[in-house]
Amino acid sequence: MSSQNPSDYAGDLSATEAWALLQSEPRARLVDVRTSAEWNFVGLPDLSELGREVELVEWQVFPTMQVNPGFVAQTEQGAADKTAPVLFLCRSGARSRSAAIALTRAGYTKAYNVAGGFEGDLDGSRHRGNKTGWKASGLPWKQT
């Protein structure tokens, strides 16, 4: 786990580290901050074997891509414990880093960014999902 500035958020986790934390910590939440279009057309992490669902809260609202002004409030719904781990996931790890910083500023002490995101970095053919991230790590996911 590492981050550029540890005071901004709890740090970065690889997809496999995120999965291990979700497995070992029942209070841990996974929040997918991609857009509704991405959830519908690209797929979602599947937490069903853990008896949980991934939470869906857009960081940027599709189609305008403006930052969601209600992001923090929407993420806080049903989550009174600000010490429980909250893991944020996007396509590649950029939006989810911003989300982790926003929740840390709102008082959460364990807001993590899943570096590499759901689809990860571009490969040599300029495709995602094959090199890094949730899908490339072989973690459970589903198409909606």
Side-chain angles (χ1 to χ4, degrees):
M1 292 185 284
S2 66
S3 70
Q4 293 177 341
N5 185 352
S7 64
D8 287 343
Y9 62 107
D12 293 335
L13 300 174
S14 70
T16 54
E17 289 171 326
W19 179 248
L21 181 56
L22 289 163
Q23 288 178 304
S24 67
E25 173 54 77
R27 299 180 312 139
R29 303 165 50 210
L30 179 63
V31 181
D32 190 325
V33 302
R34 294 175 298 151
T35 66
S36 57
E38 290 170 295
W39 302 327
N40 290 316
F41 296 110
V42 181
L44 295 167
D46 184 359
L47 306 183
S48 61
E49 72 180 71
L50 304 178
R52 289 182 262 171
E53 292 289 327
V54 62
E55 298 173 38
L56 308 176
V57 183
E58 290 180 313
W59 173 254
Q60 293 173 295
V61 180
F62 183 80
T64 65
M65 300 310 285
Q66 293 180 332
V67 173
N68 177 359
F71 179 80
V72 171
Q74 291 169 14
T75 304
E76 287 184 320
Q77 289 180 352
D81 186 355
K82 291 189 175 189
T83 65
V86 184
L87 291 68
F88 293 97
L89 176 92
C90 67
R91 180 185 66 196
S92 62
R95 288 173 284 176
S96 51
R97 181 179 186 276
S98 296
I101 291 168
L103 258 280
T104 299
R105 289 180 180 156
Y108 285 76
T109 59
K110 295 178 184 169
Y112 294 95
N113 172 42
V114 180
F118 187 67
E119 296 179 79
D121 299 323
L122 293 169
D123 64 17
S125 300
R126 302 204 42 81
H127 296 133
R128 295 188 189 273
N130 300 315
K131 190 174 178 183
T132 58
W134 192 273
K135 286 172 114 177
S137 296
L139 298 173
W141 67 280
K142 61 186 174 185
Q143 201 74 47
T144 58

